[in-house]
Amino acid sequence: MKPKPRRQQPPIAERFRVSPATLFADRLMTGLIMVGGISIIIAVFFIFVFIGFKVAPLFKGAEVGEALVLEVPDKPFVGFGIDEWKEVPYFLDEDGGLVFVDLESPDKHHESRGVFTLPYDTPPDFEIASFTHDALRDRVIFASIDGRVLVHEIHYEPTFPGGRGVRMIQPSIESLPVIELGEDGRPLDHVSYARAQARRLLAAVEETETGPVVRIATLTQRRTPFGLGPLQIGQRYTLREELRDRPSDLLVPDAADSVLVAYPSGQVDYFEIDAGGTLNHIQTFVPFPEPADHDKPGSATPIKRMEFVLGDQTVIFFDAAGRHVGWNLAYLEEEARRRYIPSKEFRPLPGPPDTFSVSRRNKTFLTTAGDHARLTLMTTEAVRWEAALGFPVRQALIAPRFNALLFLDSTGNLHLKPMKDEHPIAGFRTYFTRIQYEGRPGRIYDWQSDGGADFERKLSMVPLIIGTLKGTVYAMFIAVPVALLSAIYVSQFLRPSLKKVVKPTMEIMASLPSVILGFFAGMWLSPLISNAVPSVMMSTFGVFLGAILMGLVWSRLPNRIRLSVPSGMEFVFVFVPAMFVAWLGWHLGQVVENWMFLQYDELLEREVGSFRMWVVNVLGWDFETRNALVVGFAMGFAVIPIIFTISEDSMSNVPNAFRSGSLALGASRWQTAIRIVLPTAAAGIFSALMIGFGRAIGETMIMVMATGNSVVQDFNPFTGMRTLSANIAVEISEAEQNGTLYRTLFLCAFILFVFTFTLNTIAEILRQWLRRRYRAVE
Amino acid sequence: MKTANPFGQNIRPVGEVWVWVSGVGLAIGLFMIGFLLAVILWNGLNFFWPKRVALIELDPVGRTEFRDQKLVAGVIMARLALTPENLSPGNADLIDLAIEDPDYMREMQVYTGNRDVFANRNFAFLNMGDIVGITYPDDMLVLERTEWGNAIVRPQELRLGDGMIIAADDPSFSRQLRTLVNEVRERRATITRIERSQIGRLNARMSRERLEVRYLDSLEDPTPAQQAERASRVERIDEIESLIRPLMEQSALLRGMQREHSLAFTLIDGTERVQPLGDVINFYFPNKKGLFQRIGWFLFKIWEFITDYPREANTEGGIFPALFGTFVMTVLMSLAVTPFGVLAAVYLREYAKQGPLVSAVRISINNLAGVPSIVFGVFGLGFFIHEVGAVIDMVFYPRMVAINTPVFGTGGILWASLTLALMTVPVVIVATEEALAAVPRGVREGSLACGASKWQTIQRLVLPASSPGILTGLILAMARGAGEVAPLLLVGVMALAPSLPVDGMFPFVHLDRKFMHLGFHIYIVALQSPDTEATKPLVFASTLMLILLVIVLNLGAIMIRNHLRRKLTSSAF
């Protein structure tokens, strides 16, 4: 397009000239309104973005940064550990020697100590036969060739030699007295030690003349008036006949109450010391019943490694091919005891597991095979991070604060990789899949957000979504019939003069604060309904049945009587009989309860009519006073007016020509309503249902006050539920800012937002479509 | 027989039955509203009505006892049906007894008061089969006290400070008691004034100074200037303390005077007790009152409930701070929501180019009104408190951040109002847009033809014409905001706030303060008081107030809407 030539503006006469102030005000306001309006609209949508932004970190894996390479002595170390501040690692060599390395550069206020050692407090005649390194608790357990055991614990403490701000980490070694575990004075192997509060347990394999035996001993320490007494052996156990073979590995959990014995055949024996102090064999299991290599069928695969993750409830078994599975302790109802069950199956490593390290903060573990390293969350089997490091890993470690990964290569370099993983337990699987939790026998969805680091927090969204749907379904079950029937009646049959009163009344009901409904339902309605379920049922159904009956009888009556009720006033005339039927139903319900639901009450030693006991005894369901039925009624108050108003509008808006035409052709008013008006307004009614559904989904106060807020996953009408919204209200006060729970609650809000927003959008589009259609007709 | 009906007797419209059924739907809907309102109205008003105190005599050989006595004095609250499943094992034979006398399966719930003596219990549950007589003696006295709730007693004598004793049967007893209670009340008001406003104001200043000192103490190596500041602040604290001391002494003196007179009475089990009048708020002889006296008392109690501060952790007293908090929050919310909502609506309707994008925006805004309120609460917590509040604190209160006492970085009335404003802004936008759309095109064209600019047209014609519609939207938003509780749980509401959000202390409106809210008051008292059964009547009364507030706002909106409709239809051309 060619630009128009600028025309010479004729001068404007003074009296037509717009005052500059007006022009200025106009431009200013235009700009202001444009900017303001657009920014407000953007701000409103910012809510969605913001909540999404808060939720996003939950679905990220661990971020591992570039390695800081530090030189350490080049020796074939068999284990290492580090302090919380990542400053002074220790290294354990093949002979059990321990060296510390100060990684801090000398220019950080204090002289670097370089490589240094601390002496063990070891008796001179203690000749080492074998030792075990427990990296999780920084322990080295030595066994001598004559059956003695010595436990050393490495502790770190920050010191401030140069005043405040100049920190130096000072390691120290605490040694326990020598314990004579072996009984025959022979070398010990696979020594294992655990300590839970006052309880300690030692176990090792002793090579006796008749073959290997497992020596187990509990250690006790008497509390005397002068402090703690010496550490002594309390109870001794020996496994000799119970052994299937020469043990290939021993493991004692932190609870210090049991021993796991692995054999080269791939079998594992689980022994437990019961409360009476007897050692019992509980079970034998085979972690890898099938060989890794399918060409060689037959025997089970031997176990290469077995290790606990934090909490010592789950054992991870590795085979030589890199397969690894988890077995956890679970309480089995039918056996009335705890035993190990298979629980996890992880993606196999590319090769045999070289190293294994456990986090002290959560249930993740780090494994390496060759130069491949992988960080896995045990609970969900999810891989948080994995990479090919490019160098063969000799040793690997998760830093105590879960903020770095450390790898020791075979050339004397320590690779310190900073790691950022704020929400290790979060992830898609945590929120949406069935998980086998420790202590539980099967895969379940569960929500239980509190607990310490060694407790598996259960953060599944599924039970909350089920709870939300449950509340909504019962609410809709009660609200939809009432709302739709009244909408039909008001829009099609009611007198216009009454309509002016009825509609605002219903609209006021829509604006009743939900806290009032919650209080009403929780404090007043729930005892009433829960004590008289048959009565409530009888009344509700009785009223509808009564109405049908009355309608039938009425339409059979002679016209003289029938026409005496003015059309559009039926609901007034039906009101009194309906009340009577409801009253009758209420009392009949009590009769029915005493007749059909007789239950033997053990406390009263007689039969009483109790629907509640009938539900529990005969149906085997739970029964709570604050249940879904009560919620359904209370939510009815909140949802009925919404569905009513919108569907009534859409039916009233059906062009009058449709109705007139139908009536003129001889259809009755009911036929017109059902066959003509209802189908025409169907989209609007559907959108009303959706908006009502949306309101029910997000309702908070009724749910908090009228249910017990227990996590329920069935659709039993006599139990409560915990909905997404109630969950936020109940738990947010305990959530630490930007912590996993906090963000998880944001996820609840996000799900609610997306759900209701989608529902409402569909409903709104339908409504607009309907409006356009009517316009075409008119 | 011939009938006037040309279609004859046998032809009937099809589906009349279902018309009746749909009528039942409406009847149920209306019944539900009526029922709910009736329950709340009845229970709420019942809370204020002075109820007679019954003296209930129990069967000497029956099982029911009250504190080893066969006599109970109290207000009859309810008659409850016993259900077999809730019976305790020892009472199984009640089922048999009830065959002869159904009263055995009913219980009377009696409010006995005197919580201090009756082991903190509020109610006695008496088996109605065991009740042999109910009388209403004239001399029963109800004392409302500052602690331990009401006492239901028989007065003995009034012991005055000067040793004079007025017996209960003295004709001037009631008058004397009234004079003394009034005197005590005035003194209590003085004490409250001293403690709440004078000492409270000084205390607020002092705690500010203390926080500053705490900050200065937390520094590792303070500069000389900071050390000097600390010294001057400590000095100021001492100064304030010296100001507080005489006030404290004054209030202690007054408190001592409160214990001067006392009332001796007997409880129903015969124990004698003496109650210092200082703790008595009010008294009445419930069984002596006539109907008009009762009505007067009833109105007085309603007034008292609205204007009084709560006592005993919200379980007694009034709801003034909660009402006031709701009011201030709603006003702040309206201040925030009106300009923004109107601005956005004017933009959408008058300036934006109508097209698919704008209608998409419009649909989305409409839908935001349907997003659950708790989602807005989560946003308020995450954005306003933890982001904006943290930034404000960092810029303006770095010292408070250093000692970990956030000012705006924690819940407060500002954030609560803004959160609710965000929640209700769609309501205002939609209502304003509708009102703008209802202004006839001719009005705009006429104005523009007369040479007015676009803004002049909007400012002088369109906005005034649509103002009732905007007002309707605003009132609806206020009604929704005033009743909403769920988001407030997250953004700064409190069960018992120490001070009001607006008071006489500079800067008068304290946006950072936590506040009380009527809806939250209902939630917390209903669910978390020690004896929910005992507080239920009070909660019903609060509920009634909230419902009245919301209904009045809604009715206002509806009336404005109807008025507007009439005006617009007449002015259209």
Side-chain angles (χ1 to χ4, degrees), chain B residues 94-150:
Chain B
L94 283 178
I95 299 175
D96 301 328
L97 287 172
I99 296 167
E100 300 225 330
D101 181 1
D103 269 354
Y104 277 104
M105 281 303 276
R106 294 170 79 198
E107 258 186 350
M108 189 183 269
Q109 184 190 10
V110 180
Y111 172 73
T112 53
N114 305 327
R115 230 163 56 208
D116 45 344
V117 204
F118 295 167
N120 223 349
R121 290 224 314 253
N122 287 296
F123 299 107
F125 291 90
L126 312 173
N127 191 303
M128 287 183 61
D130 285 338
I131 294 174
V132 287
I134 300 177
T135 51
Y136 295 93
D138 271 352
D139 64 339
M140 296 307 297
L141 176 69
V142 176
L143 295 175
E144 288 173 11
R145 302 177 293 180
T146 53
E147 272 172 5
W148 300 107
N150 289 356

Side-chain angles (χ1 to χ4, degrees), chain A residues 468 472 476 635 639 642 687-699 752 755-757 759-760, chain B residues 370-372:
Chain A
T468 307
T472 312
M476 297 300 272
M635 290 264 272
V639 179
I642 290 177
S687 86
L689 293 184
M690 296 244 258
I691 291 173
F693 200 77
R695 162 102 201 242
I697 282 176
E699 187 48 66
L752 274 178
F755 221 79
T756 47
F757 200 84
L759 274 181
N760 288 338
Chain B
V371 168

Side-chain angles (χ1 to χ4, degrees), chain A residues 65-197:
Chain A
E66 272 307 300
L68 181 71
V69 183
L70 303 153
E71 261 182 58
V72 294
D74 183 12
K75 275 167 101 180
F77 292 119
V78 294
F80 79 123
I82 199 162
D83 59 300
E84 281 182 52
W85 302 269
K86 298 177 295 193
E87 289 183 9
V88 187
Y90 67 87
F91 298 90
L92 200 63
D93 66 27
E94 290 165 305
D95 311 322
L98 195 62
V99 291
F100 291 89
V101 180
D102 192 341
L103 299 180
E104 280 305 307
S105 55
D107 50 273
K108 201 195 155 192
H109 298 302
H110 63 85
E111 201 102 327
S112 173
R113 287 163 289 181
V115 178
F116 62 100
T117 58
L118 287 176
Y120 289 128
D121 187 13
T122 309
D125 60 337
F126 193 95
E127 200 171 322
I128 295 165
S130 69
F131 66 89
T132 311
H133 175 224
D134 181 352
L136 182 60
R137 295 170 193 95
D138 291 330
R139 257 182 217 146
V140 193
I141 307 135
F142 291 101
S144 74
I145 55 165
D146 55 356
R148 287 180 296 168
V149 175
L150 189 51
V151 179
H152 297 294
E153 286 182 2
I154 297 146
H155 300 295
Y156 287 102
E157 212 177 317
T159 59
F160 297 92
R164 270 172 121 175
V166 190
R167 188 185 60 209
M168 191 166 91
I169 307 302
Q170 192 59 54
S172 63
I173 298 175
E174 183 196 350
S175 304
L176 265 58
V178 174
I179 296 145
E180 304 209 354
L181 179 67
E183 290 171 25
D184 297 3
R186 309 275 298 183
L188 298 176
D189 200 1
H190 301 301
V191 60
S192 192
Y193 168 81
R195 173 180 184 179
Q197 306 298 331

Side-chain angles (χ1 to χ4, degrees), chain A residues 22 26 29 40 44-45 54 509 511-512 547 555 557 559 604 606 610 612 668-670 737 742 761, chain B residues 5 12 14 16 18 20 24 32-33 36 84-85 96 340 364 367-368 386-387 455-456 536 547 554:
Chain A
T22 309
D26 193 52
M29 287 317 291
I40 288 161
V44 168
F45 289 103
K54 281 277 173 189
M509 188 166 148
S511 66
L512 282 183
S555 54
L557 287 178
N559 279 347
L604 300 180
R606 66 178 64 223
S610 164
R612 187 185 195 131
S668 72
R669 51 182 180 154
W670 178 254
Q737 185 186 345
Y742 179 87
T761 307
Chain B
N5 188 341
R12 295 178 194 288
V14 181
E16 278 302 287
W18 300 106
W20 285 87
V24 162
M32 278 172 80
I33 311 177
L36 173 76
E85 55 206 283
D96 301 328
F340 291 125
S364 308
N367 291 348
L368 274 181
H386 288 158
E387 306 285 341
W455 169 244
Q456 280 174 328
K536 217 192 260 181
I547 255 185
N554 268 295

Side-chain angles (χ1 to χ4, degrees), chain A residues 285-304:
Chain A
F285 59 97
V286 184
F288 301 103
E290 280 160 27
D293 191 353
H294 286 282
D295 298 342
K296 287 187 279 175
S299 62
T301 315
I303 294 156
K304 182 86 195 301

